[in-house]
Amino acid sequence: MFTKIFPKIHTEGYKFIVIAGFITIILLLVNGFLGLIGLLLTIWVYYFFRDPERAIIGDDNYLVSPADGEIIKVEEVDGPKELNLENKKFKKISVFMNVFDCHVNRAPCSAQVQDILYKPGKFLNASLDKASEDNERNYYKLKDNHGNDIVVVQIAGLVARRIVCETNKDQTLNQGDRIGMIRFGSRADVYYENYEPLVKIGQTAISGETLLAKR
């Protein structure tokens, strides 16, 4: 019960909680109502950076969601040109994270990290189609245990201004391992081959738990 009310916090969040707390104290000295607003903001910052444990299926026949949020795309597309995969067909699932979702991202499958590529860009609304091409983003090219190419893309959004990568090239990941986070509203795309989607547009996904696709 305690961990549900006071979940573990991602290390990225501590400085923001301290800043929000300091602002709240200043506002309280000025005006009680402003102090209340500051307190609510501090609570929101705390919960934004929550990093709860998740129940991972641990099955190589499934891909799990890399992010909490709403499924906004399930489609077949060309692979990311940034990784020289534009001549290869993939299925793609996009998960939109609003400012109330947990923003810690996880590996959809057990895999080896073949490449990590960061691309600077704009900060359009992450739910727009152009966000996957124009926004700041970070690519993880993975090779799963069946030899399939899997790509996870962290995409910054309208409010997000920082993509955090906690993964290294050539690292071996287990399904559900944390790979990074995005601060303040964003999106995660998963490109995959040889799996069939299990989710629909509008469905809510939970990072590390929701089954996106099956072999």
Side-chain angles (χ1 to χ4, degrees):
M1 179 63 73
F2 181 82
T3 56
K4 289 185 178 181
I5 300 175
F6 300 102
K8 185 179 72 172
I9 298 300
H10 190 279
T11 53
E12 280 285 311
Y14 288 114
K15 57 187 175 184
F16 289 95
I17 294 171
V18 170
I19 292 171
F22 179 76
I23 292 174
T24 298
I25 293 172
I26 299 298
L27 291 176
L28 276 171
L29 295 175
V30 175
N31 180 279
F33 178 73
L34 291 177
L36 177 61
I37 293 176
L39 178 61
L40 293 175
L41 176 63
T42 302
I43 293 172
W44 174 75
V45 170
Y46 177 90
Y47 277 95
F48 178 88
F49 286 100
R50 64 193 183 277
D51 184 13
E53 296 298 329
R54 296 288 165 81
I56 311 300
I57 189 173
D59 189 330
D60 287 341
N61 291 310
Y62 293 91
L63 299 179
V64 299
S65 179
D68 285 18
E70 180 185 355
I71 305 295
I72 60 170
K73 294 284 184 183
V74 181
E75 58 187 348
E76 185 171 317
V77 297
D78 297 329
K81 61 180 180 297
E82 292 83 355
L83 298 176
N84 299 317
L85 294 172
E86 64 271 23
N87 295 320
K88 189 173 183 178
K89 287 292 183 183
F90 288 84
K91 290 186 175 68
K92 184 179 82 169
I93 295 175
S94 300
V95 184
F96 176 71
M97 294 168 271
N98 65 41
V99 293
F100 298 105
D101 289 317
C102 175
H103 276 57
V104 175
N105 303 136
R106 295 174 180 267
C109 58
S110 296
Q112 184 176 35
V113 181
Q114 294 195 316
D115 198 8
I116 298 175
L117 177 65
Y118 170 78
K119 295 288 289 185
K122 301 177 183 178
F123 297 97
L124 304 174
N125 188 323
S127 64
L128 300 176
D129 289 340
K130 289 178 66 64
S132 61
E133 297 180 359
D134 294 345
N135 279 24
E136 176 184 347
R137 55 206 183 276
N138 197 45
Y139 295 86
Y140 302 81
K141 183 181 179 184
L142 312 176
K143 184 74 73 174
D144 74 5
N145 291 340
H146 302 289
N148 298 309
D149 286 326
I150 309 291
V151 178
V152 178
V153 189
Q154 294 173 299
I155 303 173
L158 185 64
V159 182
R161 292 291 187 246
R162 173 97 164 100
I163 293 176
V164 179
C165 176
E166 300 175 316
T167 308
N168 300 309
K169 185 178 179 181
D170 298 324
Q171 182 176 341
T172 299
L173 297 171
N174 293 317
Q175 188 176 56
D177 279 355
R178 296 168 177 83
I179 59 174
M181 76 171 298
I182 317 174
R183 293 207 305 243
F184 303 120
S186 41
R187 167 175 154 185
D189 289 347
V190 182
Y191 296 77
Y192 60 91
E193 56 179 351
N194 301 320
Y195 292 80
E196 292 302 319
L198 297 174
V199 292
K200 297 180 179 180
I201 293 174
Q203 182 176 336
T204 298
I206 298 175
S207 176
E209 294 189 358
T210 298
L211 304 180
L212 292 186
K214 181 180 180 181
R215 290 188 74 237

